[in-house]
Amino acid sequence: MDKKEDNKKSANEQLQEKLFLAKKSCWNKFVDKDRDAVFRFGEGYKRFMDSSKTERRCVENIIAILKKHEFKDMAYASKLKAGDKVFKNIKGKCVIAAIVGKNSEQLQLVGSHVDSPRLDLKPLPIFEESGLALLKTHYYGGVKKYHWVNTPLALHGVVFTKEGKKMTISIGEEGSDPKFIIPDLLPHLAKTQMERKADKVVEGEELNILVGNIPINDDKIKEQVKLSVLKHLHDKFGITEEDFACAELELVPAGHPVDIGFDRALIGTYGQDDKVCVYSSLMALVEVNAPAHTAVGFFVDKEEIGSTGDTGAASFVLKNFCCDFLKLTGKDISTSSLLEKSNAISADVTAGVDPNFKDVNDPLNASVLGRGVSVEKYGGGGGKYSTNDASAEYMQFMRGILDKNKIPWQTGELGKIDLGGGGTIGMYLSRYGMNCVDAGPCVLGMHSTCEVASKVDIYCGYLLYKAFFKE
Ligand code: MN
Ligand code: MN
């Protein structure tokens, strides 16, 4: 058979090529300089993640990057014109950043969340038992509680002294810092524990962290280790036991982001849900200049507990921002009309197919690591509860952007229909009547202490958000 013959495809092969959706890795679409760009983006992302583990620290880093790119605090603006860059800091836990468009009657908004599952300290956490001082925690968001034992943890947050001084605490990130830990039961004595169901292998009230072992040398004191720990905290931060009630202190894994695999294609770190989309949409936003429509980065808190609260997407923070924004631009349109005419991406991660647990996915519709950004028409659970099911029209609009900019993408679904599910901020954005769809990289081990994502999917997400802002 000659070479020419060999290359010739049969009519049916050609038909298949035309009609079937080809599903394959997009890594080889990024070669040479483009491959370098993918890896370089991963390096910046890891640096960001290393110091953005809590919502407060993440917001601080977002604002620092925005300021570096000439975004100004909207609180000090008296007027806004096309091309101006502003941000609003909402209680240090939520940021809305915007570049005023030439046509400010519509937003192109990308929303992501700054919070991740973690362990919070209880209002009165400290106690002593069996020669040890411990702190009681209350888990935040959907965790498998057994992930959190035997893992060195760092403590971050704020606490007020009785006199009203706000103290910021951050212990456990530096190599020389002490860490904290919840020891699991040794296997030798775990016969009864191992008979518990997985969600009870470690129960909520057993998530108590070790914080001290040296007692105060005084037999008149009943809880000598507790007193010794409180003395240390008082010497260092000026706080007492009651002050824990006026605090937000969070425990997160103490490790650093790492490359995974011989080829370094993957990144493993805590908090990729959803700081991967925070970083990639932020990088996209700061690279946009003079967009036609107002480009908005919405970095919001509390998604992991249902978007509730004063810094969550179910609050009116976005609406309030738009009221202020319209006043400053002098545009004679209502807030509701601005929001209703807008386009949004709910930038969030989805579940990738895990080769060890393939059964939980519909293989036809699930996302695979390395195949580009996942555009998910709907999430939710059961009969499409708790989701915004994007319209065909908007899916077509999104496909147009992806195709025009040659951005590799795939569809996604959060597991088999009746197995479970999960919501995003998409349903809260769509309440305004704006178009909305979920899009972000798929991950493995979501909500674990070390989530895994592919560098190329992260990069494709960034490319999509940037193209979307420029639309
Ligand atoms: Mn998420
Ligand atoms: Mn989540």
Side-chain angles (χ1 to χ4, degrees):
M1 204 191 279
D2 69 21
K3 192 94 196 203
K4 211 172 160 191
E5 197 75 16
D6 189 32
N7 287 341
K8 205 175 167 218
K9 286 179 180 149
S10 72
N12 280 339
E13 279 173 325
Q14 287 176 41
L15 188 63
Q16 173 177 283
E17 203 165 278
K18 184 178 166 191
L19 300 184
F20 279 21
L21 171 65
K23 289 177 162 187
K24 56 180 186 181
S25 168
C26 68
W27 269 107
N28 291 324
K29 288 187 178 164
F30 294 87
V31 290
D32 304 327
K33 269 198 218 149
D34 294 335
R35 179 72 62 90
D36 294 344
V38 170
F39 278 92
R40 214 169 33 248
F41 194 81
E43 292 307 304
Y45 170 54
K46 283 189 289 176
R47 275 194 299 279
F48 178 81
M49 290 301 278
D50 205 17
S51 60
S52 302
K53 289 183 187 173
T54 66
E55 75 285 15
R56 285 177 190 263
R57 285 165 70 88
C58 186
V59 161
E60 276 170 27
N61 288 334
I62 292 168
I63 290 174
I65 291 170
L66 287 170
K67 283 182 173 169
K68 212 170 102 190
H69 289 87
E70 271 136 28
F71 282 72
K72 305 261 187 293
D73 191 334
M74 202 161 88
Y76 305 105
S78 53
K79 213 174 158 189
L80 289 179
K81 57 177 193 318
D84 283 352
K85 300 172 175 188
V86 287
F87 69 87
K88 184 174 180 180
N89 175 354
I90 297 134
K91 302 183 178 181
K93 298 187 197 179
C94 172
V95 190
I96 307 175
I99 307 174
V100 185
K102 289 175 197 132
N103 162 23
S104 58
E105 295 184 9
Q106 183 194 322
L107 311 176
Q108 292 284 112
L109 180 146
V110 179
S112 54
H113 64 93
V114 294
D115 63 321
S116 301
R118 58 174 194 253
L119 303 181
D120 288 340
L121 290 193
K122 287 197 181 198
L124 290 178
I126 187 160
F127 70 103
E128 176 174 337
E129 182 59 57
S130 312
L132 294 157
L134 300 101
L135 296 178
K136 291 198 75 69
T137 70
H138 194 141
Y139 62 91
Y140 170 98
V143 298
K144 282 176 155 179
K145 295 185 279 284
Y146 64 78
H147 286 169
W148 291 79
V149 293
N150 298 342
T151 297
L153 302 168
L155 180 71
H156 297 287
V158 297
V159 52
F160 280 86
T161 67
K162 201 149 183 109
E163 296 72 39
K165 196 168 171 208
K166 186 179 183 176
M167 306 301 291
T168 299
I169 294 181
S170 176
I171 303 168
E173 294 296 342
E174 302 302 323
S176 58
D177 278 2
K179 323 281 185 244
F180 308 96
I181 205 156
I182 302 162
D184 194 9
L185 190 58
L186 62 168
H188 318 62
L189 296 179
K191 207 174 159 219
T192 319
Q193 184 198 26
M194 296 303 270
E195 281 159 12
R196 298 185 192 174
K197 283 197 162 174
D199 71 330
K200 292 189 187 301
V201 164
V202 179
E203 297 204 66
E205 296 293 348
E206 291 167 340
L207 292 171
N208 304 318
I209 60 161
L210 300 187
V211 295
N213 182 223
I214 304 176
I216 286 267
N217 192 7
D218 183 349
D219 289 341
K220 280 191 234 130
I221 302 297
K222 213 173 139 209
E223 296 175 296
Q224 295 171 13
V225 186
K226 173 176 166 178
L227 183 59
S228 158
V229 166
L230 280 172
K231 182 181 181 301
H232 170 84
L233 291 173
H234 189 259
D235 290 348
K236 203 160 175 202
F237 303 106
I239 57 172
T240 66
E241 184 174 10
E242 186 185 283
D243 297 333
F244 280 106
C246 302
E248 280 180 306
L249 292 165
E250 304 170 8
L251 288 143
V252 293
H256 304 291
V258 291
D259 287 342
I260 300 279
F262 294 117
D263 57 5
R264 298 180 174 270
L266 311 172
I267 289 176
T269 187
Y270 162 76
Q272 304 213 56
D273 175 11
D274 181 32
K275 275 151 315 220
V276 65
C277 297
V278 167
Y279 181 76
S280 44
S281 63
L282 177 63
M283 287 303 111
L285 182 69
V286 298
E287 286 168 17
V288 170
N289 266 313
H293 302 299
T294 295
V296 176
F298 183 27
F299 308 98
V300 70
D301 186 26
K302 297 277 191 281
E303 193 275 344
E304 295 296 356
I305 54 168
S307 294
T308 54
D310 53 350
T311 49
S315 74
F316 295 106
V317 286
L318 183 62
K319 197 176 163 200
N320 297 345
F321 170 86
C322 289
C323 284
D324 301 347
F325 176 82
L326 282 174
K327 258 184 234 155
L328 291 167
T329 58
K331 282 269 174 185
D332 189 24
I333 51 168
S334 66
T335 304
S336 55
S337 148
L338 174 72
L339 286 163
E340 195 173 20
K341 282 181 190 153
S342 295
N343 290 326
I345 293 177
S346 161
D348 208 339
V349 299
T350 188
V353 176
D354 183 332
N356 293 323
F357 301 97
K358 278 171 70 178
D359 289 357
V360 300
N361 296 109
D362 160 18
L364 192 59
N365 285 285
S367 292
V368 168
L369 266 74
R371 288 189 185 166
V373 60
S374 299
V375 182
E376 203 166 86
K377 190 174 181 297
Y378 54 84
K384 295 193 177 182
Y385 286 97
S386 300
T387 186
N388 161 54
D389 192 352
S391 68
E393 287 81 357
Y394 196 53
M395 286 301 290
Q396 173 58 16
F397 170 77
M398 292 299 295
R399 178 164 67 172
I401 296 175
L402 289 154
D403 285 354
K404 198 165 64 188
N405 294 280
K406 298 191 172 59
I407 302 166
W409 68 285
Q410 55 183 327
T411 58
E413 242 190 3
L414 200 76
K416 277 185 178 163
I417 297 169
D418 290 328
L419 264 188
T424 65
I425 64 166
M427 61 179 154
Y428 299 104
L429 294 175
S430 58
R431 287 199 306 183
Y432 296 107
M434 65 174 71
N435 293 311
C436 184
V437 68
D438 281 281
C442 63
V443 301
L444 301 183
M446 196 196 294
H447 286 203
S448 77
T449 48
C450 186
E451 303 171 315
V452 175
S454 175
K455 288 179 185 173
V456 78
D457 298 337
I458 297 171
Y459 192 72
C460 290
Y462 152 76
L463 293 177
L464 169 61
Y465 308 142
K466 195 155 90 171
F468 176 81
F469 284 136
K470 287 182 171 174
E471 188 64 22

